[in-house]
Amino acid sequence: MRAPLVVKRALDEPLLLLGAFGAILLATTTLVAMTMYAAAVSGAGVREAVRDAPYRQTSVTVTAQVDATTFPQYDRLVRDRLTETFGAPPDVTTSLRSDSYVMPGEDDEELPGLLRFGSHDGLDRHATLVAGRWPQAGEDTVEAAISEPAATATGFEAGEEFVTRARGDGHPVEVRVVGVFRLDDPLGERWAGEELLSRGVERGEYTTYGPLTVTPPRPSSPASPPASGPSGRPSPASAR
């Protein structure tokens, strides 16, 4: 019986009842607005955090050993899997590195200097030519560009031609250096794990120079070397 009495008294004070409903509506609206604001702020914070995060924290590295024949298959497979995982086609950058080749004139040395070929998507957007031009695909002679540090260490210049042999099976590759380039930011995170590209030289039991930057391998090209390394990395094996 108390409930009807409370309702009756509330009806006797319509302004008080209206004020109570107004307060409830205001509180509810405030809570909804705060929730929406928090969601918007947190979403913007996540986007900003991802945008400003270090390159290595927002990228995925896939490594495989490939050659000119298997590279297109692996490339397509990786892109399809990443699209399934992220729900949209990701921005994929391919970096290829060859097996070792012997420095010209050092075939009979016990510990010869070594060369590696490489290919890097978008390198021309992150480097500046200081001599010559960027390489183009060829059939018999492999065109290559080389970084300034590697050019200094090897003595190679734009326009120079030489023959190098695969350290494994001795397969010869005719090379023409067509350009020398300088990385815009050699210490940038984009080149993490690419010490040879940024420094031009890797020293260990053997000294390796390069990479001799070439165009990506093509299945139909007789000058496409075997490849290996992070992100897929190719090389001139058959005669690139």
Side-chain angles (χ1 to χ4, degrees):
M1 304 305 191
R2 178 174 295 180
L5 180 61
V6 171
V7 172
K8 182 178 179 181
R9 289 182 176 179
L11 293 176
D12 290 339
E13 298 290 344
L15 293 179
L16 179 62
L17 183 62
L18 182 62
F21 280 129
I24 294 173
L25 178 61
L26 178 61
T28 303
T29 303
T30 301
L31 288 173
V32 172
M34 290 178 65
T35 302
M36 294 175 64
Y37 174 77
V41 169
S42 61
V46 169
R47 287 192 294 272
E48 183 175 350
V50 171
R51 184 192 64 207
D52 298 335
Y55 183 80
R56 280 174 287 185
Q57 292 184 13
T58 58
S59 60
V60 175
T61 300
V62 180
T63 303
Q65 184 163 346
V66 300
D67 57 27
T69 302
T70 61
F71 171 66
Q73 303 169 15
Y74 278 89
D75 183 59
R76 183 169 56 255
L77 177 63
V78 169
R79 291 174 188 271
D80 290 346
R81 291 293 181 270
L82 290 176
T83 299
E84 292 177 7
T85 301
F86 295 109
D91 182 12
V92 177
T93 298
T94 304
S95 174
L96 306 168
R97 185 192 297 182
S98 74
D99 294 329
S100 297
Y101 287 72
V102 179
M103 276 284 289
E106 298 187 15
D107 300 76
D108 298 328
E109 298 287 336
E110 182 178 353
L111 295 176
L114 302 178
L115 293 172
R116 283 187 184 272
F117 293 83
S119 177
H120 305 269
D121 285 352
L123 179 62
D124 58 342
R125 297 194 301 272
H126 300 278
T128 302
L129 281 170
V130 296
R133 59 175 174 80
W134 294 107
Q136 299 177 353
E139 293 300 324
D140 298 319
T141 300
V142 180
E143 291 191 350
I146 191 170
S147 68
E148 266 190 327
T152 299
T154 59
F156 294 156
E157 299 178 347
E160 185 167 350
E161 296 188 17
F162 58 86
V163 175
T164 179
R165 296 180 179 276
R167 188 158 177 267
D169 59 11
H171 183 86
V173 177
E174 297 179 11
V175 181
R176 178 185 300 118
V177 178
V178 297
V180 178
F181 63 86
R182 178 188 302 133
L183 291 179
D184 297 335
D185 183 13
L187 300 180
E189 289 193 343
R190 180 182 184 83
W191 311 118
E194 297 284 357
E195 287 77 12
L196 186 61
L197 178 63
S198 58
R199 299 175 185 174
V201 182
E202 286 180 346
R203 302 187 187 278
E205 182 180 2
Y206 290 85
T207 300
T208 302
Y209 305 94
L212 295 172
T213 303
V214 299
T215 55
R218 296 177 302 149
S220 59
S221 172
S224 253
S228 63
S231 297
R233 312 194 170 206
S235 86
S238 207
R240 220 178 174 211

